[in-house]
PDB file of all heavy atoms in Angstrom:
ATOM      1  N   PRO A  11       5.588  -2.983  13.821  1.00  0.00           N
ATOM      2  CA  PRO A  11       5.999  -4.083  14.678  1.00  0.00           C
ATOM      3  C   PRO A  11       5.180  -5.352  14.472  1.00  0.00           C
ATOM      4  O   PRO A  11       3.979  -5.316  14.212  1.00  0.00           O
ATOM      5  CB  PRO A  11       5.758  -3.565  16.085  1.00  0.00           C
ATOM      6  CG  PRO A  11       4.823  -2.409  15.926  1.00  0.00           C
ATOM      7  CD  PRO A  11       5.146  -1.818  14.581  1.00  0.00           C
ATOM      8  N   ASN A  12       5.917  -6.457  14.535  1.00  0.00           N
ATOM      9  CA  ASN A  12       5.411  -7.842  14.486  1.00  0.00           C
ATOM     10  C   ASN A  12       4.988  -8.260  13.075  1.00  0.00           C
ATOM     11  O   ASN A  12       4.653  -9.436  12.884  1.00  0.00           O
ATOM     12  CB  ASN A  12       4.223  -8.017  15.445  1.00  0.00           C
ATOM     13  CG  ASN A  12       4.632  -7.772  16.889  1.00  0.00           C
ATOM     14  OD1 ASN A  12       5.561  -8.384  17.345  1.00  0.00           O
ATOM     15  ND2 ASN A  12       4.000  -6.852  17.572  1.00  0.00           N
ATOM     16  N   LEU A  13       5.038  -7.389  12.108  1.00  0.00           N
ATOM     17  CA  LEU A  13       4.631  -7.803  10.756  1.00  0.00           C
ATOM     18  C   LEU A  13       5.742  -8.643  10.093  1.00  0.00           C
ATOM     19  O   LEU A  13       5.471  -9.383   9.168  1.00  0.00           O
ATOM     20  CB  LEU A  13       4.291  -6.551   9.923  1.00  0.00           C
ATOM     21  CG  LEU A  13       3.010  -5.872  10.438  1.00  0.00           C
ATOM     22  CD1 LEU A  13       2.821  -4.492   9.884  1.00  0.00           C
ATOM     23  CD2 LEU A  13       1.791  -6.745  10.155  1.00  0.00           C
ATOM     24  N   ARG A  19       2.304 -15.822  12.557  1.00  0.00           N
ATOM     25  CA  ARG A  19       1.619 -15.027  13.615  1.00  0.00           C
ATOM     26  C   ARG A  19       0.125 -15.055  13.432  1.00  0.00           C
ATOM     27  O   ARG A  19      -0.390 -14.479  12.447  1.00  0.00           O
ATOM     28  CB  ARG A  19       2.138 -13.598  13.501  1.00  0.00           C
ATOM     29  CG  ARG A  19       1.436 -12.623  14.429  1.00  0.00           C
ATOM     30  CD  ARG A  19       1.711 -11.204  14.025  1.00  0.00           C
ATOM     31  NE  ARG A  19       1.080 -10.320  14.955  1.00  0.00           N
ATOM     32  CZ  ARG A  19       0.760  -9.046  14.659  1.00  0.00           C
ATOM     33  NH1 ARG A  19       1.018  -8.513  13.472  1.00  0.00           N
ATOM     34  NH2 ARG A  19       0.182  -8.291  15.580  1.00  0.00           N
ATOM     35  N   TYR A  24      -4.331 -12.875  10.513  1.00  0.00           N
ATOM     36  CA  TYR A  24      -3.462 -12.082   9.577  1.00  0.00           C
ATOM     37  C   TYR A  24      -3.198 -12.840   8.259  1.00  0.00           C
ATOM     38  O   TYR A  24      -2.494 -12.281   7.397  1.00  0.00           O
ATOM     39  CB  TYR A  24      -2.156 -11.737  10.293  1.00  0.00           C
ATOM     40  CG  TYR A  24      -2.343 -10.809  11.437  1.00  0.00           C
ATOM     41  CD1 TYR A  24      -2.156 -11.258  12.756  1.00  0.00           C
ATOM     42  CD2 TYR A  24      -2.763  -9.480  11.248  1.00  0.00           C
ATOM     43  CE1 TYR A  24      -2.391 -10.386  13.856  1.00  0.00           C
ATOM     44  CE2 TYR A  24      -2.976  -8.654  12.322  1.00  0.00           C
ATOM     45  CZ  TYR A  24      -2.793  -9.093  13.607  1.00  0.00           C
ATOM     46  OH  TYR A  24      -3.022  -8.242  14.661  1.00  0.00           O
ATOM     47  N   ASN A  75       1.280   0.159   7.047  1.00  0.00           N
ATOM     48  CA  ASN A  75       0.666  -0.661   8.044  1.00  0.00           C
ATOM     49  C   ASN A  75       1.499  -0.498   9.289  1.00  0.00           C
ATOM     50  O   ASN A  75       2.598  -1.108   9.419  1.00  0.00           O
ATOM     51  CB  ASN A  75       0.629  -2.141   7.606  1.00  0.00           C
ATOM     52  CG  ASN A  75      -0.095  -2.958   8.666  1.00  0.00           C
ATOM     53  OD1 ASN A  75      -0.444  -2.532   9.740  1.00  0.00           O
ATOM     54  ND2 ASN A  75      -0.379  -4.216   8.313  1.00  0.00           N
ATOM     55  N   GLY A  77       1.043  -1.398  12.207  1.00  0.00           N
ATOM     56  CA  GLY A  77       0.856  -2.410  13.281  1.00  0.00           C
ATOM     57  C   GLY A  77       0.285  -1.740  14.502  1.00  0.00           C
ATOM     58  O   GLY A  77      -0.534  -0.837  14.437  1.00  0.00           O
ATOM     59  N   ALA A  78       0.760  -2.196  15.670  1.00  0.00           N
ATOM     60  CA  ALA A  78       0.204  -1.678  16.922  1.00  0.00           C
ATOM     61  C   ALA A  78       0.497  -0.201  17.177  1.00  0.00           C
ATOM     62  O   ALA A  78      -0.285   0.478  17.917  1.00  0.00           O
ATOM     63  CB  ALA A  78       0.757  -2.480  18.104  1.00  0.00           C
ATOM     64  N   TYR A  79       1.522   0.346  16.516  1.00  0.00           N
ATOM     65  CA  TYR A  79       1.798   1.771  16.663  1.00  0.00           C
ATOM     66  C   TYR A  79       0.660   2.611  16.086  1.00  0.00           C
ATOM     67  O   TYR A  79       0.499   3.776  16.451  1.00  0.00           O
ATOM     68  CB  TYR A  79       3.106   2.188  15.963  1.00  0.00           C
ATOM     69  CG  TYR A  79       4.323   1.673  16.665  1.00  0.00           C
ATOM     70  CD1 TYR A  79       5.413   1.168  15.952  1.00  0.00           C
ATOM     71  CD2 TYR A  79       4.430   1.686  18.056  1.00  0.00           C
ATOM     72  CE1 TYR A  79       6.557   0.659  16.595  1.00  0.00           C
ATOM     73  CE2 TYR A  79       5.570   1.157  18.708  1.00  0.00           C
ATOM     74  CZ  TYR A  79       6.600   0.693  17.969  1.00  0.00           C
ATOM     75  OH  TYR A  79       7.734   0.180  18.581  1.00  0.00           O
ATOM     76  N   THR A  80      -0.154   2.047  15.227  1.00  0.00           N
ATOM     77  CA  THR A  80      -1.348   2.731  14.733  1.00  0.00           C
ATOM     78  C   THR A  80      -2.170   3.309  15.880  1.00  0.00           C
ATOM     79  O   THR A  80      -2.714   4.373  15.781  1.00  0.00           O
ATOM     80  CB  THR A  80      -2.256   1.677  14.002  1.00  0.00           C
ATOM     81  OG1 THR A  80      -1.520   1.087  12.959  1.00  0.00           O
ATOM     82  CG2 THR A  80      -3.518   2.349  13.452  1.00  0.00           C
ATOM     83  N   HIS A  81      -2.282   2.482  16.960  1.00  0.00           N
ATOM     84  CA  HIS A  81      -3.211   2.796  18.056  1.00  0.00           C
ATOM     85  C   HIS A  81      -2.615   3.664  19.153  1.00  0.00           C
ATOM     86  O   HIS A  81      -3.278   4.061  20.081  1.00  0.00           O
ATOM     87  CB  HIS A  81      -3.749   1.475  18.620  1.00  0.00           C
ATOM     88  CG  HIS A  81      -4.140   0.513  17.569  1.00  0.00           C
ATOM     89  ND1 HIS A  81      -5.172   0.762  16.653  1.00  0.00           N
ATOM     90  CD2 HIS A  81      -3.640  -0.738  17.233  1.00  0.00           C
ATOM     91  CE1 HIS A  81      -5.281  -0.290  15.856  1.00  0.00           C
ATOM     92  NE2 HIS A  81      -4.381  -1.178  16.177  1.00  0.00           N
ATOM     93  N   LEU A 100      -3.171   1.316   6.155  1.00  0.00           N
ATOM     94  CA  LEU A 100      -3.799   0.035   5.778  1.00  0.00           C
ATOM     95  C   LEU A 100      -3.612  -0.978   6.934  1.00  0.00           C
ATOM     96  O   LEU A 100      -2.650  -0.901   7.704  1.00  0.00           O
ATOM     97  CB  LEU A 100      -3.234  -0.531   4.474  1.00  0.00           C
ATOM     98  CG  LEU A 100      -1.825  -1.104   4.532  1.00  0.00           C
ATOM     99  CD1 LEU A 100      -1.875  -2.637   4.631  1.00  0.00           C
ATOM    100  CD2 LEU A 100      -0.981  -0.670   3.340  1.00  0.00           C
ATOM    101  N   HIS A 101      -4.525  -1.944   6.914  1.00  0.00           N
ATOM    102  CA  HIS A 101      -4.444  -3.049   7.873  1.00  0.00           C
ATOM    103  C   HIS A 101      -4.890  -4.334   7.143  1.00  0.00           C
ATOM    104  O   HIS A 101      -5.851  -4.305   6.349  1.00  0.00           O
ATOM    105  CB  HIS A 101      -5.306  -2.854   9.089  1.00  0.00           C
ATOM    106  CG  HIS A 101      -4.993  -1.574   9.762  1.00  0.00           C
ATOM    107  ND1 HIS A 101      -3.880  -1.379  10.563  1.00  0.00           N
ATOM    108  CD2 HIS A 101      -5.611  -0.347   9.735  1.00  0.00           C
ATOM    109  CE1 HIS A 101      -3.830  -0.147  10.954  1.00  0.00           C
ATOM    110  NE2 HIS A 101      -4.859   0.490  10.496  1.00  0.00           N
ATOM    111  N   LEU A 102      -4.296  -5.418   7.511  1.00  0.00           N
ATOM    112  CA  LEU A 102      -4.708  -6.734   6.980  1.00  0.00           C
ATOM    113  C   LEU A 102      -6.088  -7.069   7.534  1.00  0.00           C
ATOM    114  O   LEU A 102      -6.976  -7.510   6.788  1.00  0.00           O
ATOM    115  CB  LEU A 102      -3.696  -7.822   7.414  1.00  0.00           C
ATOM    116  CG  LEU A 102      -2.319  -7.728   6.809  1.00  0.00           C
ATOM    117  CD1 LEU A 102      -1.291  -8.334   7.742  1.00  0.00           C
ATOM    118  CD2 LEU A 102      -2.278  -8.410   5.434  1.00  0.00           C
ATOM    119  N   SER A 103      -6.255  -6.916   8.837  1.00  0.00           N
ATOM    120  CA  SER A 103      -7.481  -7.352   9.484  1.00  0.00           C
ATOM    121  C   SER A 103      -8.449  -6.152   9.520  1.00  0.00           C
ATOM    122  O   SER A 103      -8.083  -4.980   9.346  1.00  0.00           O
ATOM    123  CB  SER A 103      -7.211  -7.810  10.916  1.00  0.00           C
ATOM    124  OG  SER A 103      -6.689  -6.776  11.711  1.00  0.00           O
ATOM    125  N   ASN A 104      -9.718  -6.485   9.792  1.00  0.00           N
ATOM    126  CA  ASN A 104     -10.710  -5.364  10.028  1.00  0.00           C
ATOM    127  C   ASN A 104     -10.625  -4.976  11.477  1.00  0.00           C
ATOM    128  O   ASN A 104     -11.248  -5.603  12.355  1.00  0.00           O
ATOM    129  CB  ASN A 104     -12.123  -5.867   9.672  1.00  0.00           C
ATOM    130  CG  ASN A 104     -13.168  -4.793   9.926  1.00  0.00           C
ATOM    131  OD1 ASN A 104     -12.862  -3.733  10.450  1.00  0.00           O
ATOM    132  ND2 ASN A 104     -14.409  -5.082   9.578  1.00  0.00           N
ATOM    133  N   VAL A 105      -9.836  -3.927  11.758  1.00  0.00           N
ATOM    134  CA  VAL A 105      -9.587  -3.540  13.135  1.00  0.00           C
ATOM    135  C   VAL A 105     -10.894  -3.181  13.893  1.00  0.00           C
ATOM    136  O   VAL A 105     -10.944  -3.327  15.096  1.00  0.00           O
ATOM    137  CB  VAL A 105      -8.587  -2.395  13.206  1.00  0.00           C
ATOM    138  CG1 VAL A 105      -7.161  -2.912  12.849  1.00  0.00           C
ATOM    139  CG2 VAL A 105      -8.932  -1.235  12.298  1.00  0.00           C
ATOM    140  N   ARG A 108     -12.572  -6.020  15.792  1.00  0.00           N
ATOM    141  CA  ARG A 108     -11.684  -6.651  16.799  1.00  0.00           C
ATOM    142  C   ARG A 108     -11.832  -5.905  18.112  1.00  0.00           C
ATOM    143  O   ARG A 108     -12.772  -5.239  18.390  1.00  0.00           O
ATOM    144  CB  ARG A 108     -10.263  -6.720  16.264  1.00  0.00           C
ATOM    145  CG  ARG A 108     -10.203  -7.562  14.976  1.00  0.00           C
ATOM    146  CD  ARG A 108      -8.780  -7.620  14.429  1.00  0.00           C
ATOM    147  NE  ARG A 108      -7.893  -8.303  15.436  1.00  0.00           N
ATOM    148  CZ  ARG A 108      -6.602  -8.228  15.368  1.00  0.00           C
ATOM    149  NH1 ARG A 108      -5.973  -7.569  14.417  1.00  0.00           N
ATOM    150  NH2 ARG A 108      -5.873  -8.883  16.286  1.00  0.00           N
ATOM    151  N   ARG A 112      -8.266  -1.476  19.333  1.00  0.00           N
ATOM    152  CA  ARG A 112      -7.836  -1.337  17.928  1.00  0.00           C
ATOM    153  C   ARG A 112      -8.765  -0.434  17.122  1.00  0.00           C
ATOM    154  O   ARG A 112      -8.532  -0.184  15.943  1.00  0.00           O
ATOM    155  CB  ARG A 112      -7.773  -2.726  17.247  1.00  0.00           C
ATOM    156  CG  ARG A 112      -6.768  -3.656  17.849  1.00  0.00           C
ATOM    157  CD  ARG A 112      -6.723  -4.977  17.098  1.00  0.00           C
ATOM    158  NE  ARG A 112      -6.166  -5.998  17.902  1.00  0.00           N
ATOM    159  CZ  ARG A 112      -4.856  -6.264  18.146  1.00  0.00           C
ATOM    160  NH1 ARG A 112      -3.960  -5.493  17.520  1.00  0.00           N
ATOM    161  NH2 ARG A 112      -4.452  -7.205  18.955  1.00  0.00           N
TER     162      ARG A 112
HETATM  163  C1  LIG B 201      -1.537  -5.307  12.446  1.00  0.00           C
HETATM  164  C2  LIG B 201      -1.171  -5.294  13.757  1.00  0.00           C
HETATM  165  O1  LIG B 201       0.029  -5.738  14.114  1.00  0.00           O
HETATM  166  C3  LIG B 201      -2.101  -4.848  14.820  1.00  0.00           C
HETATM  167  O2  LIG B 201      -1.426  -4.316  15.918  1.00  0.00           O
HETATM  168  C4  LIG B 201      -3.187  -3.943  14.333  1.00  0.00           C
HETATM  169  C5  LIG B 201      -2.818  -4.694  11.992  1.00  0.00           C
HETATM  170  C6  LIG B 201      -3.818  -4.518  13.068  1.00  0.00           C
HETATM  171  C7  LIG B 201      -3.317  -5.401  10.763  1.00  0.00           C
HETATM  172  O3  LIG B 201      -4.465  -5.880  10.708  1.00  0.00           O
HETATM  173  O4  LIG B 201      -2.593  -5.445   9.747  1.00  0.00           O
HETATM  174  O5  LIG B 201      -4.136  -3.752  15.333  1.00  0.00           O
END
Side-chain angles (χ1 to χ4, degrees):
N12 300 305
L13 292 166
R19 173 194 182 203
Y24 296 110
N75 183 352
Y79 290 139
T80 304
H81 315 297
L100 75 99
H101 306 283
L102 294 151
S103 64
N104 179 356
V105 287
R108 300 180 61 196
R112 296 183 203 277

